[in-house]
Amino acid sequence: MAPVSNSLQPPSPDAKEQERGSVFRPKFGADGLVTAVAVDDSSGDILMLAHMNAEALAATLATGEAHYYSRSRKAQWKKGETSGQIQTVKRILVDCDQDAVILRVTVGGDGGACHTGARTCFYRAVGADGTLTRAD
């Protein structure tokens, strides 16, 4: 995805326009965030779930690299800025009411996404008894 110059449009009060229209109008929650899921563009693996505020989403569109908003630190951050795991955005998909996005990305550095060192944040599976085991 080439960087895009985009001033984000507010959500449409018309549900039909919001859900079926051709203009990107992200619908931020009361907390000012949309949910963002990063997916490896070549494998389809889910890498991570994060959140974006308007600034992070605009930065992602402007640079073609994923920026997120940390709810715990209350700050915007560029994925991979310190780890080298830069997420280059190939495509952005938006859900029907535009309150969640999927970022199809390629990952730099070691190709990982999780702060634990795992390739994906979803590296454990939940058993019927509630135990966690490695998913890979």
Side-chain angles (χ1 to χ4, degrees), residues 17-96:
E17 171 62 28
Q18 185 71 15
E19 294 174 358
R20 300 181 190 274
S22 60
V23 176
F24 183 41
R25 298 174 176 274
K27 186 174 161 185
F28 297 94
D31 57 3
L33 304 174
V34 296
T35 300
V37 177
V39 174
D40 184 287
D41 191 49
S42 55
S43 70
D45 292 343
I46 299 168
L47 299 174
M48 58 183 273
L49 181 139
H51 299 87
M52 299 173 124
N53 62 3
E55 183 181 356
L57 184 52
T60 299
L61 290 167
T63 66
E65 296 176 340
H67 290 73
Y68 300 105
Y69 181 81
S70 169
R71 295 180 299 171
S72 59
R73 293 185 311 240
K74 302 204 180 319
Q76 179 183 320
W77 55 285
K78 177 181 175 182
K79 177 63 180 162
E81 194 164 43
T82 57
S83 68
Q85 298 169 339
I86 300 287
Q87 292 179 350
T88 302
V89 178
K90 298 300 182 183
R91 189 173 186 200
I92 298 177
L93 305 172
V94 63
D95 76 333
C96 56

Side-chain angles (χ1 to χ4, degrees), residues 90-110:
K90 298 300 182 183
R91 189 173 186 200
I92 298 177
L93 305 172
V94 63
D95 76 333
C96 56
D97 60 355
Q98 301 195 46
D99 65 355
V101 294
I102 294 176
L103 305 179
R104 300 286 307 209
V105 302
T106 59
V107 182
D110 65 7

Side-chain angles (χ1 to χ4, degrees), residues 115-135:
H115 73 280
T116 66
R119 171 162 159 59
T120 169
C121 293
F122 297 91
Y123 60 90
R124 298 179 290 178
V126 181
D129 61 358
T131 60
L132 297 176
T133 57
R134 292 286 299 190

